[in-house]
Amino acid sequence: MAEGLSKTCAIFFLTLLFSLPLGMIVALLRMSKDKVVSSVTRFVISVLRGTPLMLQLLAVTYGPYYLFGISVSRNKLIPVVIAFSINYAAYFAEIYRGGIESMAKGQYEAAAVLGYTKTQTFLKIILPQVIKRIMPSITNEVVTLVKDTSLAFTVSYQEMFTIGKQIANSQTSFTPFVVAGVFYFVFNAIVDFGMGKIEKSMQYYK
Amino acid sequence: MILEMSNIKKHFEDCEVLHDISLNVDSGEVVSIIGPSGSGKSTLLRCATFLEKIDSGTIKYVGQTIAHTPDGEKPIYLPKKEMVKVKSYFGLVFQQFNLFPHFSVLRNVCDAPINVQKRNKEEVEEKGRELLKKMGLADKADAYPFQLSGGQQQRVAIARALALNPDILFFDEPTSALDPELTGEVLKIIRQLAEEKMTMVIVTHEMSFARAVSKRVIFMDGGYIVEQGDPEKVFGDPSEERTKQFLRNYQQ
Protein backbone atom coordinates (compact mmCIF):
# COMPACT_ATOMS: atom_id res chain seq x y z
CA MET A 1 0.00 0.00 0.00
CA ALA A 2 3.04 2.25 0.38
CA GLU A 3 3.34 2.58 -3.37
CA GLY A 4 -0.34 3.44 -3.52
CA LEU A 5 0.22 6.16 -0.94
CA SER A 6 2.93 7.78 -3.07
CA LYS A 7 0.52 7.78 -6.02
CA THR A 8 -2.19 9.32 -3.87
CA CYS A 9 0.29 12.03 -2.91
CA ALA A 10 1.16 12.56 -6.59
CA ILE A 11 -2.50 13.16 -7.50
CA PHE A 12 -2.90 15.47 -4.51
CA PHE A 13 0.14 17.70 -5.05
CA LEU A 14 -0.07 17.84 -8.84
CA THR A 15 -3.76 18.73 -8.67
CA LEU A 16 -3.06 21.60 -6.28
CA LEU A 17 -0.10 22.73 -8.37
CA PHE A 18 -2.26 23.10 -11.49
CA SER A 19 -5.72 23.88 -10.15
CA LEU A 20 -4.81 26.77 -7.81
CA PRO A 21 -3.41 29.01 -10.58
CA LEU A 22 -5.87 27.69 -13.18
CA GLY A 23 -8.72 28.59 -10.82
CA MET A 24 -7.51 32.20 -10.74
CA ILE A 25 -7.53 32.38 -14.53
CA VAL A 26 -11.04 30.90 -14.60
CA ALA A 27 -12.19 33.36 -11.91
CA LEU A 28 -10.87 36.32 -13.91
CA LEU A 29 -12.59 35.03 -17.06
CA ARG A 30 -15.78 34.55 -15.07
CA MET A 31 -15.61 38.19 -13.96
CA SER A 32 -14.74 39.45 -17.44
CA LYS A 33 -16.64 42.49 -18.65
CA ASP A 34 -17.11 40.68 -21.95
CA LYS A 35 -20.55 39.10 -21.61
CA VAL A 36 -19.75 36.18 -23.95
CA VAL A 37 -16.56 35.26 -22.07
CA SER A 38 -18.22 35.47 -18.66
CA SER A 39 -21.31 33.47 -19.63
CA VAL A 40 -19.32 30.74 -21.39
CA THR A 41 -17.07 30.47 -18.32
CA ARG A 42 -20.08 30.42 -16.06
CA PHE A 43 -21.57 27.56 -18.06
CA VAL A 44 -18.34 25.56 -17.99
CA ILE A 45 -18.07 26.05 -14.23
CA SER A 46 -21.64 24.90 -13.72
CA VAL A 47 -21.01 21.73 -15.75
CA LEU A 48 -17.83 20.94 -13.81
CA ARG A 49 -19.51 21.50 -10.47
CA GLY A 50 -22.81 19.96 -11.49
CA THR A 51 -21.59 16.58 -12.72
CA PRO A 52 -19.85 13.85 -10.72
CA LEU A 53 -16.07 14.03 -10.60
CA MET A 54 -16.13 10.27 -11.22
CA LEU A 55 -17.84 10.87 -14.55
CA GLN A 56 -15.31 13.56 -15.46
CA LEU A 57 -12.50 11.15 -14.63
CA LEU A 58 -13.95 8.54 -16.97
CA ALA A 59 -14.54 11.14 -19.68
CA VAL A 60 -10.98 12.45 -19.58
CA THR A 61 -9.42 8.97 -19.37
CA TYR A 62 -11.51 7.11 -21.95
CA GLY A 63 -13.06 9.99 -23.91
CA PRO A 64 -10.11 10.35 -26.32
CA TYR A 65 -10.42 6.65 -27.23
CA TYR A 66 -14.16 6.76 -27.93
CA LEU A 67 -14.03 10.10 -29.72
CA PHE A 68 -10.79 9.93 -31.69
CA GLY A 69 -9.66 6.36 -31.40
CA ILE A 70 -6.57 7.40 -29.45
CA SER A 71 -5.54 4.45 -27.32
CA VAL A 72 -5.75 4.90 -23.57
CA SER A 73 -2.28 5.55 -22.22
CA ARG A 74 -0.75 3.14 -19.76
CA ASN A 75 0.14 6.00 -17.45
CA LYS A 76 -3.20 6.95 -16.00
CA LEU A 77 -1.65 9.65 -13.81
CA ILE A 78 -1.88 12.17 -16.67
CA PRO A 79 -5.64 11.93 -17.34
CA VAL A 80 -6.34 11.63 -13.61
CA VAL A 81 -4.43 14.82 -12.81
CA ILE A 82 -6.02 16.63 -15.77
CA ALA A 83 -9.53 15.70 -14.62
CA PHE A 84 -8.85 16.59 -10.99
CA SER A 85 -7.16 19.88 -11.90
CA ILE A 86 -9.98 21.05 -14.13
CA ASN A 87 -12.64 20.03 -11.63
CA TYR A 88 -10.91 21.68 -8.68
CA ALA A 89 -10.09 24.79 -10.71
CA ALA A 90 -13.85 25.29 -11.12
CA TYR A 91 -14.36 25.17 -7.35
CA PHE A 92 -11.33 27.36 -6.61
CA ALA A 93 -12.49 29.86 -9.25
CA GLU A 94 -15.77 30.37 -7.42
CA ILE A 95 -13.95 30.77 -4.10
CA TYR A 96 -11.58 33.34 -5.63
CA ARG A 97 -14.50 35.18 -7.21
CA GLY A 98 -16.34 35.32 -3.91
CA GLY A 99 -13.23 36.68 -2.21
CA ILE A 100 -12.51 39.27 -4.89
CA GLU A 101 -16.11 40.47 -5.02
CA SER A 102 -16.24 40.81 -1.24
CA MET A 103 -13.49 43.44 -1.29
CA ALA A 104 -14.67 46.93 -0.43
CA LYS A 105 -14.78 49.41 -3.31
CA GLY A 106 -12.79 51.83 -1.17
CA GLN A 107 -9.65 49.73 -1.53
CA TYR A 108 -9.76 50.04 -5.32
CA GLU A 109 -10.55 53.75 -5.09
CA ALA A 110 -7.74 54.51 -2.63
CA ALA A 111 -5.31 52.66 -4.90
CA ALA A 112 -6.60 54.46 -8.01
CA VAL A 113 -6.19 57.89 -6.42
CA LEU A 114 -2.65 57.03 -5.30
CA GLY A 115 -1.79 56.19 -8.90
CA TYR A 116 -1.41 52.40 -8.72
CA THR A 117 -2.02 50.69 -12.05
CA LYS A 118 -4.75 48.05 -12.28
CA THR A 119 -2.19 45.24 -12.14
CA GLN A 120 -0.40 46.76 -9.14
CA THR A 121 -3.73 47.26 -7.40
CA PHE A 122 -4.71 43.65 -7.94
CA LEU A 123 -1.40 42.09 -6.97
CA LYS A 124 -0.39 44.37 -4.09
CA ILE A 125 -3.64 45.55 -2.57
CA ILE A 126 -6.47 43.17 -3.47
CA LEU A 127 -4.96 39.69 -3.83
CA PRO A 128 -3.17 39.49 -0.44
CA GLN A 129 -6.39 40.42 1.34
CA VAL A 130 -8.42 38.01 -0.78
CA ILE A 131 -6.08 35.12 0.05
CA LYS A 132 -6.47 35.77 3.76
CA ARG A 133 -10.25 35.87 3.45
CA ILE A 134 -10.62 32.70 1.42
CA MET A 135 -8.13 30.54 3.34
CA PRO A 136 -10.83 28.68 5.35
CA SER A 137 -12.73 27.82 2.15
CA ILE A 138 -9.54 26.74 0.41
CA THR A 139 -8.72 24.48 3.37
CA ASN A 140 -12.14 22.90 3.02
CA GLU A 141 -11.51 22.09 -0.64
CA VAL A 142 -8.04 20.75 0.04
CA VAL A 143 -9.39 18.40 2.73
CA THR A 144 -12.02 17.20 0.26
CA LEU A 145 -9.35 16.69 -2.37
CA VAL A 146 -7.42 14.32 -0.07
CA LYS A 147 -10.47 12.06 0.12
CA ASP A 148 -11.45 12.58 -3.54
CA THR A 149 -8.11 11.11 -4.70
CA SER A 150 -9.68 7.73 -3.92
CA LEU A 151 -12.00 8.25 -6.90
CA ALA A 152 -9.05 7.46 -9.15
CA PHE A 153 -9.96 3.80 -8.55
CA THR A 154 -12.73 4.23 -11.17
CA VAL A 155 -10.07 4.31 -13.89
CA SER A 156 -8.02 1.63 -12.11
CA TYR A 157 -5.20 4.01 -11.24
CA GLN A 158 -3.19 2.22 -8.60
CA GLU A 159 -3.45 4.74 -5.79
CA MET A 160 -3.86 3.78 -2.17
CA PHE A 161 -7.58 3.09 -2.17
CA THR A 162 -7.48 0.94 -5.32
CA ILE A 163 -4.74 -1.19 -3.87
CA GLY A 164 -6.53 -1.39 -0.53
CA LYS A 165 -9.62 -2.61 -2.36
CA GLN A 166 -7.66 -5.27 -4.26
CA ILE A 167 -6.07 -6.56 -1.06
CA ALA A 168 -9.44 -6.54 0.68
CA ASN A 169 -10.97 -8.55 -2.16
CA SER A 170 -8.18 -11.11 -2.34
CA GLN A 171 -8.01 -11.65 1.42
CA THR A 172 -11.73 -11.17 2.07
CA SER A 173 -10.76 -8.86 4.87
CA PHE A 174 -11.98 -5.46 5.90
CA THR A 175 -8.65 -4.45 7.46
CA PRO A 176 -7.14 -2.80 4.33
CA PHE A 177 -10.10 -0.38 4.27
CA VAL A 178 -9.48 0.51 7.89
CA VAL A 179 -5.80 1.07 7.13
CA ALA A 180 -6.71 3.25 4.14
CA GLY A 181 -9.17 5.22 6.29
CA VAL A 182 -6.47 5.87 8.87
CA PHE A 183 -4.12 7.03 6.11
CA TYR A 184 -6.63 9.56 4.78
CA PHE A 185 -7.33 10.77 8.28
CA VAL A 186 -3.64 11.25 9.10
CA PHE A 187 -3.07 12.89 5.72
CA ASN A 188 -5.84 15.36 6.45
CA ALA A 189 -4.59 16.01 9.96
CA ILE A 190 -1.30 17.10 8.36
CA VAL A 191 -3.16 19.23 5.81
CA ASP A 192 -5.16 20.87 8.61
CA PHE A 193 -2.01 21.59 10.56
CA GLY A 194 -0.25 23.10 7.54
CA MET A 195 -3.18 25.22 6.47
CA GLY A 196 -3.64 26.39 10.06
CA LYS A 197 0.00 27.54 10.06
CA ILE A 198 -0.57 29.49 6.84
CA GLU A 199 -3.74 31.09 8.22
CA LYS A 200 -1.92 32.04 11.39
CA SER A 201 0.87 33.69 9.44
CA MET A 202 -1.73 36.10 8.00
CA GLN A 203 -3.29 36.99 11.33
CA TYR A 204 -1.07 40.02 11.90
CA TYR A 205 -3.80 42.23 10.44
CA LYS A 206 -7.58 42.34 10.36
CA MET B 1 -4.58 78.23 -10.68
CA ILE B 2 -4.10 74.75 -9.27
CA LEU B 3 -7.47 73.34 -10.29
CA GLU B 4 -9.84 74.58 -12.94
CA MET B 5 -13.09 72.72 -13.47
CA SER B 6 -15.46 74.30 -15.92
CA ASN B 7 -18.96 73.43 -17.06
CA ILE B 8 -18.86 69.99 -15.47
CA LYS B 9 -21.92 67.89 -16.10
CA LYS B 10 -22.50 64.45 -14.66
CA HIS B 11 -25.51 62.20 -14.47
CA PHE B 12 -26.18 58.77 -13.01
CA GLU B 13 -28.82 56.90 -14.96
CA ASP B 14 -31.60 59.48 -15.33
CA CYS B 15 -30.50 61.61 -12.42
CA GLU B 16 -28.56 64.78 -13.20
CA VAL B 17 -26.05 65.10 -10.34
CA LEU B 18 -23.94 68.02 -11.52
CA HIS B 19 -25.45 70.78 -13.67
CA ASP B 20 -22.77 72.78 -15.38
CA ILE B 21 -20.57 73.26 -12.32
CA SER B 22 -17.42 75.36 -12.44
CA LEU B 23 -14.85 75.47 -9.69
CA ASN B 24 -11.45 77.13 -9.66
CA VAL B 25 -9.02 76.74 -6.80
CA ASP B 26 -6.03 79.01 -6.42
CA SER B 27 -2.74 78.07 -4.83
CA GLY B 28 -2.91 78.24 -1.04
CA GLU B 29 -6.67 78.55 -1.05
CA VAL B 30 -8.88 76.57 1.33
CA VAL B 31 -12.35 75.97 -0.07
CA SER B 32 -15.15 74.30 1.87
CA ILE B 33 -18.13 72.78 0.13
CA ILE B 34 -21.29 72.44 2.20
CA GLY B 35 -24.78 71.34 1.34
CA PRO B 36 -27.38 68.66 2.00
CA SER B 37 -26.82 64.97 1.17
CA GLY B 38 -27.24 64.25 -2.50
CA SER B 39 -26.39 67.79 -3.51
CA GLY B 40 -23.46 66.61 -5.63
CA LYS B 41 -20.59 67.69 -3.33
CA SER B 42 -18.94 64.28 -3.19
CA THR B 43 -19.56 63.62 -6.88
CA LEU B 44 -17.76 66.85 -7.68
CA LEU B 45 -14.71 65.67 -5.70
CA ARG B 46 -14.92 62.25 -7.32
CA CYS B 47 -14.92 63.86 -10.76
CA ALA B 48 -11.94 66.03 -9.78
CA THR B 49 -10.03 62.95 -8.64
CA PHE B 50 -11.07 60.85 -11.66
CA LEU B 51 -12.99 58.27 -9.65
CA GLU B 52 -15.97 59.27 -11.78
CA LYS B 53 -15.92 60.21 -15.44
CA ILE B 54 -17.50 63.51 -16.35
CA ASP B 55 -20.18 63.69 -19.06
CA SER B 56 -18.83 66.97 -20.33
CA GLY B 57 -16.72 69.92 -19.29
CA THR B 58 -13.05 70.63 -18.76
CA ILE B 59 -10.68 69.68 -15.93
CA LYS B 60 -7.27 71.32 -15.72
CA TYR B 61 -4.53 70.86 -13.13
CA VAL B 62 -1.76 73.47 -12.90
CA GLY B 63 -2.73 74.72 -16.34
CA GLN B 64 -2.61 71.31 -18.01
CA THR B 65 -5.81 70.04 -19.59
CA ILE B 66 -6.55 66.56 -18.24
CA ALA B 67 -10.08 66.06 -19.54
CA HIS B 68 -12.20 68.01 -21.97
CA THR B 69 -15.05 67.61 -24.42
CA PRO B 70 -13.92 69.34 -27.62
CA ASP B 71 -16.83 68.17 -29.75
CA GLY B 72 -19.31 68.54 -26.91
CA GLU B 73 -19.95 64.82 -26.86
CA LYS B 74 -17.61 62.28 -25.29
CA PRO B 75 -15.04 63.46 -22.75
CA ILE B 76 -11.42 62.91 -23.73
CA TYR B 77 -9.01 62.11 -20.91
CA LEU B 78 -5.24 61.99 -21.11
CA PRO B 79 -3.89 58.52 -21.94
CA LYS B 80 -3.44 56.14 -18.98
CA LYS B 81 0.35 56.48 -18.91
CA GLU B 82 0.14 60.21 -18.35
CA MET B 83 -2.59 59.86 -15.76
CA VAL B 84 -0.08 58.30 -13.34
CA LYS B 85 1.74 61.63 -13.22
CA VAL B 86 -1.52 63.59 -13.07
CA LYS B 87 -2.45 61.66 -9.95
CA SER B 88 0.53 63.11 -8.12
CA TYR B 89 -1.02 66.59 -8.50
CA PHE B 90 -3.70 65.77 -5.94
CA GLY B 91 -4.50 63.68 -2.91
CA LEU B 92 -7.87 62.53 -1.63
CA VAL B 93 -8.85 61.74 1.94
CA PHE B 94 -11.93 59.52 2.14
CA GLN B 95 -14.74 59.46 4.66
CA GLN B 96 -13.99 55.78 5.36
CA PHE B 97 -10.16 56.27 5.45
CA ASN B 98 -9.62 53.30 3.10
CA LEU B 99 -6.22 52.43 4.51
CA PHE B 100 -4.67 49.20 3.30
CA PRO B 101 -5.20 46.82 6.25
CA HIS B 102 -2.35 44.47 5.36
CA PHE B 103 0.25 47.26 5.26
CA SER B 104 1.84 48.75 8.35
CA VAL B 105 1.19 52.44 8.97
CA LEU B 106 4.56 53.40 7.51
CA ARG B 107 4.02 51.24 4.45
CA ASN B 108 0.57 52.75 3.91
CA VAL B 109 2.27 56.12 3.74
CA CYS B 110 5.35 55.11 1.75
CA ASP B 111 4.30 52.40 -0.68
CA ALA B 112 2.83 54.64 -3.39
CA PRO B 113 5.73 57.15 -3.41
CA ILE B 114 8.15 54.21 -3.73
CA ASN B 115 6.25 52.01 -6.17
CA VAL B 116 4.20 54.53 -8.14
CA GLN B 117 6.39 57.62 -8.14
CA LYS B 118 9.55 55.44 -8.07
CA ARG B 119 11.24 57.63 -5.51
CA ASN B 120 14.17 56.58 -3.38
CA LYS B 121 13.07 54.25 -0.58
CA GLU B 122 15.23 55.64 2.25
CA GLU B 123 14.29 59.19 1.38
CA VAL B 124 10.58 58.39 1.21
CA GLU B 125 10.64 56.50 4.51
CA GLU B 126 12.42 59.37 6.21
CA LYS B 127 9.78 61.73 4.91
CA GLY B 128 7.06 59.27 5.88
CA ARG B 129 8.28 59.19 9.47
CA GLU B 130 8.40 62.98 9.49
CA LEU B 131 4.82 63.15 8.25
CA LEU B 132 3.68 60.66 10.89
CA LYS B 133 5.41 62.75 13.54
CA LYS B 134 3.56 65.79 12.29
CA MET B 135 0.29 63.82 12.58
CA GLY B 136 1.19 62.92 16.16
CA LEU B 137 1.69 59.27 15.21
CA ALA B 138 5.46 58.93 15.43
CA ASP B 139 5.13 55.85 17.64
CA LYS B 140 2.60 54.12 15.33
CA ALA B 141 4.82 53.61 12.27
CA ASP B 142 4.93 49.84 12.75
CA ALA B 143 1.32 49.41 13.88
CA TYR B 144 -1.41 48.07 11.60
CA PRO B 145 -4.56 50.06 10.82
CA PHE B 146 -6.85 47.79 12.88
CA GLN B 147 -4.84 48.70 15.98
CA LEU B 148 -5.64 52.41 15.59
CA SER B 149 -8.67 54.51 16.46
CA GLY B 150 -10.71 56.06 13.66
CA GLY B 151 -9.12 59.44 14.26
CA GLN B 152 -5.64 57.94 14.10
CA GLN B 153 -6.52 56.04 10.92
CA GLN B 154 -7.75 59.23 9.29
CA ARG B 155 -4.52 60.99 10.23
CA VAL B 156 -2.56 58.16 8.61
CA ALA B 157 -4.74 58.62 5.51
CA ILE B 158 -3.83 62.32 5.47
CA ALA B 159 -0.14 61.45 5.78
CA ARG B 160 -0.54 58.93 2.95
CA ALA B 161 -2.05 61.61 0.71
CA LEU B 162 0.64 64.14 1.63
CA ALA B 163 3.49 61.70 0.99
CA LEU B 164 2.94 62.06 -2.77
CA ASN B 165 3.68 65.81 -2.50
CA PRO B 166 0.36 66.85 -4.02
CA ASP B 167 -0.41 70.41 -5.12
CA ILE B 168 -3.93 70.12 -3.76
CA LEU B 169 -5.63 67.96 -1.16
CA PHE B 170 -9.29 66.96 -1.30
CA PHE B 171 -11.24 65.85 1.77
CA ASP B 172 -14.52 64.00 1.32
CA GLU B 173 -16.34 64.37 4.65
CA PRO B 174 -13.18 63.47 6.58
CA THR B 175 -14.84 63.40 9.99
CA SER B 176 -18.27 61.96 9.17
CA ALA B 177 -17.27 58.43 10.19
CA LEU B 178 -15.72 59.57 13.47
CA ASP B 179 -17.01 59.93 17.02
CA PRO B 180 -17.37 63.58 18.02
CA GLU B 181 -14.49 63.02 20.40
CA LEU B 182 -12.15 62.00 17.59
CA THR B 183 -13.34 64.64 15.13
CA GLY B 184 -11.31 67.35 16.83
CA GLU B 185 -7.94 65.69 16.33
CA VAL B 186 -8.53 65.39 12.57
CA LEU B 187 -9.82 68.94 12.23
CA LYS B 188 -6.78 70.19 14.14
CA ILE B 189 -4.50 68.61 11.53
CA ILE B 190 -6.46 70.16 8.65
CA ARG B 191 -6.32 73.53 10.36
CA GLN B 192 -2.56 73.14 10.76
CA LEU B 193 -2.25 72.36 7.02
CA ALA B 194 -4.29 75.48 6.23
CA GLU B 195 -1.86 77.57 8.23
CA GLU B 196 0.95 76.10 6.15
CA LYS B 197 -0.87 77.31 3.02
CA MET B 198 -1.73 73.86 1.72
CA THR B 199 -4.30 74.14 -1.06
CA MET B 200 -7.40 72.22 0.05
CA VAL B 201 -10.97 71.52 -0.94
CA ILE B 202 -13.03 70.16 1.94
CA VAL B 203 -16.49 68.66 1.68
CA THR B 204 -17.82 68.82 5.21
CA HIS B 205 -20.79 69.02 7.53
CA GLU B 206 -18.73 70.72 10.25
CA MET B 207 -20.10 74.22 9.79
CA SER B 208 -18.12 76.07 12.44
CA PHE B 209 -14.95 74.42 11.22
CA ALA B 210 -15.69 75.40 7.61
CA ARG B 211 -16.35 78.94 8.71
CA ALA B 212 -13.11 79.17 10.66
CA VAL B 213 -10.71 77.46 8.32
CA SER B 214 -11.76 78.32 4.78
CA LYS B 215 -11.14 81.30 2.60
CA ARG B 216 -14.19 80.53 0.48
CA VAL B 217 -17.35 78.55 1.15
CA ILE B 218 -19.47 76.98 -1.55
CA PHE B 219 -23.05 75.96 -0.84
CA MET B 220 -24.33 73.31 -3.22
CA ASP B 221 -27.85 71.98 -3.61
CA GLY B 222 -29.43 69.75 -6.24
CA GLY B 223 -26.32 69.71 -8.40
CA TYR B 224 -25.97 73.50 -8.54
CA ILE B 225 -23.69 75.95 -6.76
CA VAL B 226 -26.33 78.04 -5.03
CA GLU B 227 -24.03 80.48 -3.35
CA GLN B 228 -20.35 81.00 -2.70
CA GLY B 229 -18.05 83.52 -1.15
CA ASP B 230 -16.37 84.67 2.02
CA PRO B 231 -17.36 82.35 4.91
CA GLU B 232 -18.45 85.29 7.08
CA LYS B 233 -20.79 86.38 4.32
CA VAL B 234 -22.19 82.94 3.47
CA PHE B 235 -22.67 81.88 7.08
CA GLY B 236 -23.42 85.30 8.57
CA ASP B 237 -25.56 86.88 5.91
CA PRO B 238 -26.45 84.46 3.11
CA SER B 239 -28.19 86.05 0.15
CA GLU B 240 -30.05 82.98 -1.10
CA GLU B 241 -33.19 81.72 0.61
CA ARG B 242 -32.08 78.07 0.14
CA THR B 243 -28.80 78.74 1.96
CA LYS B 244 -30.60 80.40 4.86
CA GLN B 245 -32.94 77.46 5.14
CA PHE B 246 -30.08 74.93 5.11
CA LEU B 247 -28.06 76.80 7.73
CA ARG B 248 -31.13 77.28 9.91
CA ASN B 249 -31.70 73.53 9.95
CA TYR B 250 -28.11 73.08 11.03
CA GLN B 251 -28.37 75.46 13.95
CA GLN B 252 -31.34 73.65 15.39
Side-chain angles (χ1 to χ4, degrees), chain A residues 139 191-201:
Chain A
T139 303
V191 166
D192 255 340
F193 179 78
M195 296 302 269
K197 281 267 177 207
I198 297 173
E199 271 184 56
K200 218 166 189 184
S201 74

Side-chain angles (χ1 to χ4, degrees), chain B residues 67-138:
Chain B
H68 63 152
T69 37
D71 56 359
E73 281 185 15
K74 272 195 163 177
I76 300 173
Y77 282 79
L78 284 182
K80 263 188 197 163
K81 266 193 181 170
E82 288 172 56
M83 286 305 280
V84 174
K85 182 166 178 281
V86 170
K87 283 176 177 169
S88 65
Y89 294 151
F90 60 81
L92 171 63
V93 175
F94 297 86
Q95 181 180 346
Q96 300 294 346
F97 334 131
N98 293 341
L99 293 178
F100 303 130
H102 57 309
F103 285 178
S104 70
V105 164
L106 187 65
R107 189 152 177 224
N108 261 286
V109 175
C110 298
D111 196 76
I114 295 168
N115 291 302
V116 175
Q117 294 186 327
K118 312 284 181 201
R119 279 153 57 190
N120 176 277
K121 192 177 174 212
E122 278 77 44
E123 209 178 287
V124 169
E125 287 189 345
E126 199 188 311
K127 192 184 171 205
R129 285 183 195 280
E130 235 169 74
L131 278 169
L132 288 174
K133 196 173 155 200
K134 193 171 153 187
M135 299 293 140
L137 297 167

